[in-house]
Amino acid sequence: MSMIPKKPAKTPFTDHQWQAIHDEGKNLLVSASAGSGKTTVLVQRVIEKIKKQTDINQLLVVTYTNAAAREMKHRIQSAIQKEINQCDEQEQKRHLIRQIPMLGHADISTLHSFCLKVIRRYYYLIDFDPVFRLLTDDTEIALMKEDVWEELREELYGNDDELFEELAKAYSSDKNDDGLTTLILSLYEFSRANTDPLKWLSDLTQMYKVNGEDLGESFVFQKLLKSQLLSTLKTMDDLLDDAIAMGNNEEELGKTLKILIDEREHAKELQTLVKDNDLKEAYLCIENFSHARWYVPNKKTTSESVKEMGKEMQVFRKKAKDLYKEMESDIFSFTPDEHLENMSRVSLLVEEMARVTKLFYERYKNHKADKKVLDFNDLEHLTLRILSIETEDGKEPSEAAIHYRSQFSEVMIDEYQDVNQIQEEILKWVTQPESLNGNQFMVGDVKQSIYSFRLADPSLFIEKYEQYEKKEKGERIILAENFRSRPEVLSFTNFIFDQLMDKEVGELTYDKSAKLINGYTAFPESSDFNTELLIFESKVEESENDDDDESVSSSFSVDSKTKGELYMVA
């Protein structure tokens, strides 16, 4: 069990920062919001480790960029020098001084740089030729892939393969087959973010397999469509609820309310059917439903306030109706049986996609071997092969993994939210197994994960975030205090994301633990910093018929008829 030292009265660190600096003996996930001082905490944790007689080369610190690694080394060096100047105990001072020359060779780097070091040292474990050139120019990589693909594509066209021709036709235009090229190269990149790319490609067709004749039990519906449908229907329900609440006290709006109530009940019925996976009944329910023509009383005796209220209700109803029409055209344009037939045909095309991508995978791999070059992703896969050994009972640590596990007393990962599957697996083989005391220290913020296009997998962070909250396999520490922005900015940011971010949209509920807290109290008080919204619309086209439901527009929307920008100033 970790013994966290008592926090001094005058320390600049918060309680949670102090825990993140000193806690040990288990895996730790530090969820650090923007401006919460995570780099300061990480550097201070390194210093505290060194002060306890740990050498800097006993720590692996993984950063996301080379620039971040350089900054980290600089800050650690400055912190060590500061400790040297303040230290009176001679043995401790000698230990601190010894860290300065070691810092230049310390494992404080990007994961790719660490992988390169592993390959240079243990290449013989996988019978790999260590003489290679690392590809760092994106243009050169793109041209190399293009050359390999063009040769393979011409060969596939020449084989007179009907299934390949059908695939090419499905993803090509009348002018070129650039769509097919983009598809295969994208699939290749996605596969390489996994520990076993070829298996990942082979498993793609499993998504389109249906046991029996029940579309509701298929992978596509359960994993991809169900949550999307329920979210859409819940939003429709809420919009109609708000519209009904507006006019509930107006007798003249009785007919209008009847329209809204019927549509809300229809949305609720669909929610129940979707939850029960009953897509056949849901399809029939939609097929037999039609939206009533919108009605707002327009008599001479009708007050302007009632007419205005009707228009406001109409705005909410139109948003709900638009969502319904989009759902209908996207998902319920075919019957469940037709969907099953389509999935069967699509399954063949997906299988062909996987086959072609595997061919490209092998050709490109051989091409790089002939040229004696590697890309960054190759470094990850080679390192994983070096660190783990395939046995009859599964994978076991190699001598390289055993060496690094004994060398590193702690593995620290910055920007953990941007790690992908294969990087996670590499880190697993250089840290202590879960059966022992954890020695992994992860810092990040899933709300700041922006590298999905680089195949980052935020679900890895979220899984630990939820596990460690229950103290399963580790412990979670939340740094919510923001020391960078004024309270007005934080308050408005919390307000916006409280409305937008949930498990479906942002993979994380923006609850109390996720909200930003003002940690800096020295800002001068002033009313000049209240949040201000500036909305600019360059052009709005309005229909002549204001009573037509399709003509309703909101000044806050930006669509094909409205071009504009939204600015926030605080």
Side-chain angles (χ1 to χ4, degrees):
M1 181 179 291
S2 172
M3 295 296 293
I4 301 174
K6 184 177 180 181
K7 189 178 77 167
K10 294 184 178 180
T11 182
F13 299 111
T14 66
D15 290 345
H16 288 142
Q17 286 177 330
W18 187 258
Q19 182 187 359
I21 291 167
H22 292 280
D23 207 353
E24 57 186 10
K26 65 198 123 180
N27 289 329
L28 292 171
L29 177 71
V30 179
S31 179
S33 297
S36 61
K38 71 177 181 67
T39 305
T40 301
V41 166
L42 192 57
V43 169
Q44 191 61 37
R45 184 175 178 87
V46 171
I47 298 304
E48 293 299 328
K49 292 285 182 183
I50 292 173
K51 286 166 65 176
K52 293 178 182 178
Q53 299 301 305
T54 298
D55 285 329
I56 191 68
N57 61 5
Q58 293 178 278
L59 301 174
L60 172 60
V61 183
V62 176
T63 62
Y64 196 75
T65 64
N66 288 318
R70 287 192 297 269
E71 181 190 357
M72 184 71 68
K73 281 188 177 183
H74 175 73
R75 293 181 66 166
I76 290 172
Q77 181 174 343
S78 298
I80 291 174
Q81 289 172 334
K82 182 179 178 181
E83 289 292 333
I84 292 171
N85 294 334
Q86 295 175 349
C87 183
D88 295 326
E89 207 276 311
Q90 291 305 308
E91 185 177 346
Q92 176 78 324
K93 179 174 283 193
R94 283 194 295 271
H95 171 70
L96 291 168
I97 292 172
R98 194 166 61 248
Q99 306 308 310
I100 299 297
M102 295 171 62
L103 190 58
H105 303 285
D107 290 302
I108 303 172
S109 65
T110 64
L111 189 61
H112 290 138
S113 295
F114 175 69
C115 288
L116 190 58
K117 182 181 289 189
V118 174
I119 293 167
R120 296 290 192 200
R121 179 169 182 172
Y122 286 103
Y123 63 89
Y124 58 87
L125 292 179
I126 55 172
D127 194 24
F128 175 73
D129 186 352
V131 180
F132 62 86
R133 179 172 64 89
L134 184 61
L135 294 169
T136 57
D137 186 345
D138 290 342
T139 302
E140 182 182 5
I141 295 172
L143 290 173
M144 194 175 291
K145 287 179 181 177
E146 186 179 332
D147 289 342
V148 173
W149 168 242
E150 284 185 0
E151 182 180 331
L152 175 60
R153 180 179 56 188
E154 293 306 313
E155 182 181 316
L156 290 168
Y157 276 125
N159 289 341
D160 197 24
D161 187 322
E162 290 184 8
L163 195 54
F164 174 75
E165 290 178 3
E166 186 178 351
L167 175 67
K169 183 178 179 181
Y171 286 92
S172 303
S173 66
D174 295 336
K175 297 180 180 179
N176 56 57
D177 59 2
D178 289 350
L180 176 65
T181 299
T182 301
L183 172 71
I184 299 303
L185 295 184
S186 297
L187 268 180
Y188 169 78
E189 293 298 332
F190 273 105
S191 72
R192 296 282 283 167
N194 292 272
T195 57
D196 191 340
L198 296 179
K199 183 180 184 301
W200 183 85
L201 288 167
S202 297
D203 290 346
L204 284 178
T205 55
Q206 296 303 313
M207 291 193 296
Y208 297 90
K209 303 294 184 185
V210 180
N211 295 325
E213 299 296 321
D214 192 349
L215 180 65
E217 298 299 328
S218 67
F219 177 92
V220 170
F221 177 71
Q222 290 293 331
K223 299 297 183 182
L224 303 179
L225 296 180
K226 187 173 183 176
S227 60
Q228 175 190 337
L229 269 174
L230 290 175
S231 177
T232 298
L233 290 166
K234 178 65 167 60
T235 302
M236 288 168 47
D237 193 353
D238 291 343
L239 287 167
L240 294 169
D241 261 345
D242 289 342
I244 291 168
M246 285 182 190
N248 250 342
N249 297 324
E250 291 293 339
E251 292 184 8
E252 281 192 84
L253 294 174
K255 187 175 178 180
T256 307
L257 289 169
K258 176 68 167 57
I259 295 171
L260 296 171
I261 291 170
D262 287 345
E263 292 177 3
R264 183 184 62 181
E265 292 307 308
H266 177 62
K268 288 183 181 298
E269 183 181 3
L270 285 175
Q271 283 186 70
T272 301
L273 293 172
V274 170
K275 286 177 182 177
D276 293 341
N277 305 324
D278 194 347
L279 295 186
K280 288 187 177 181
E281 194 61 36
Y283 176 82
L284 291 174
C285 187
I286 289 173
E287 189 177 38
N288 294 326
F289 179 82
S290 60
H291 287 85
R293 183 173 178 79
W294 183 247
Y295 171 82
V296 176
N298 194 23
K299 303 173 184 177
K300 291 182 179 179
T301 56
T302 303
S303 66
E304 289 300 318
S305 63
V306 170
K307 292 179 182 178
E308 190 62 34
M309 186 180 296
K311 289 182 180 179
E312 291 177 8
M313 294 163 68
Q314 186 182 10
V315 170
F316 283 83
R317 192 257 189 164
K318 183 180 184 302
K319 289 179 180 178
K321 185 178 176 182
D322 287 345
L323 285 173
Y324 185 93
K325 293 294 184 183
E326 185 178 342
M327 175 189 70
E328 187 178 23
S329 62
D330 286 350
I331 299 174
F332 291 98
S333 55
F334 296 99
T335 67
D337 289 340
E338 288 171 336
H339 272 305
L340 287 172
E341 292 176 13
N342 292 337
M343 285 173 64
S344 180
R345 289 196 296 270
V346 168
S347 179
L348 294 175
L349 289 181
V350 172
E351 192 171 346
E352 180 66 6
M353 272 189 261
R355 183 185 77 88
V356 174
T357 307
K358 287 178 186 178
L359 289 173
F360 175 78
Y361 176 98
E362 295 296 343
R363 294 285 182 91
Y364 185 50
K365 176 183 175 182
N366 294 335
H367 182 80
K368 287 184 290 184
D370 291 340
K371 298 284 186 181
K372 293 186 180 298
V373 295
L374 297 176
D375 58 30
F376 286 115
N377 196 253
D378 290 323
L379 297 180
E380 295 172 347
H381 282 275
L382 288 171
T383 300
L384 188 55
R385 284 176 55 199
I386 288 171
L387 293 173
S388 61
I389 302 172
E390 290 282 356
T391 67
E392 292 182 358
D393 299 326
K395 291 185 176 181
E396 293 183 357
S398 68
E399 67 175 80
I402 293 170
H403 164 75
Y404 287 116
R405 283 179 172 180
S406 64
Q407 176 184 341
F408 297 131
S409 63
E410 185 159 283
V411 175
M412 302 178 176
I413 306 113
D414 194 14
E415 306 295 357
Y416 181 70
Q417 76 277 356
D418 293 320
V419 165
N420 63 28
Q421 290 284 348
I422 189 169
Q423 292 167 349
E424 172 80 349
E425 190 73 6
I426 290 169
L427 292 167
K428 183 186 84 172
W429 289 110
V430 297
T431 55
Q432 296 296 335
E434 291 181 350
S435 57
L436 302 177
N437 290 338
N439 66 330
Q440 208 172 65
F441 181 82
M442 298 149 283
V443 185
D445 181 15
V446 74
K447 301 187 296 299
Q448 297 183 62
S449 181
I450 61 172
Y451 288 108
S452 290
F453 65 95
R454 293 188 186 177
L455 309 182
D457 187 356
S459 68
L460 296 170
F461 184 102
I462 293 168
E463 182 181 0
K464 287 188 173 68
Y465 185 89
E466 294 173 349
Q467 275 186 348
Y468 290 9
E469 180 186 14
K470 305 169 187 174
K471 300 190 184 300
E472 296 176 2
K473 301 179 182 179
E475 185 167 347
R476 184 183 79 180
I477 302 171
I478 295 177
L479 304 184
E481 293 88 352
N482 178 288
F483 299 93
R484 185 185 300 163
S485 304
R486 292 187 62 88
E488 294 87 349
V489 174
L490 303 182
S491 176
F492 186 79
T493 302
N494 285 333
F495 172 76
I496 292 294
F497 282 96
D498 192 36
Q499 320 301 313
L500 297 179
M501 198 168 185
D502 55 25
K503 289 286 288 185
E504 286 73 27
V505 176
E507 299 184 84
L508 183 74
T509 301
Y510 201 80
D511 56 15
K512 184 178 180 180
S513 64
K515 290 183 178 179
L516 299 168
I517 299 172
N518 178 36
Y520 184 66
T521 58
F523 286 114
E525 292 187 9
S526 173
S527 60
D528 296 335
F529 295 98
N530 291 331
T531 305
E532 181 182 0
L533 283 176
L534 304 179
I535 300 174
F536 166 72
E537 291 184 338
S538 61
K539 183 179 180 182
V540 179
E541 296 179 8
E542 294 187 6
S543 171
E544 294 179 0
N545 184 4
D546 289 337
D547 290 333
D548 186 352
D549 189 52
E550 302 302 321
S551 72
V552 177
S553 63
S554 169
S555 61
F556 290 88
S557 66
V558 179
D559 53 27
S560 59
K561 293 184 179 181
T562 305
K563 297 179 180 179
E565 297 183 24
L566 172 66
Y567 301 91
M568 183 191 79
V569 181

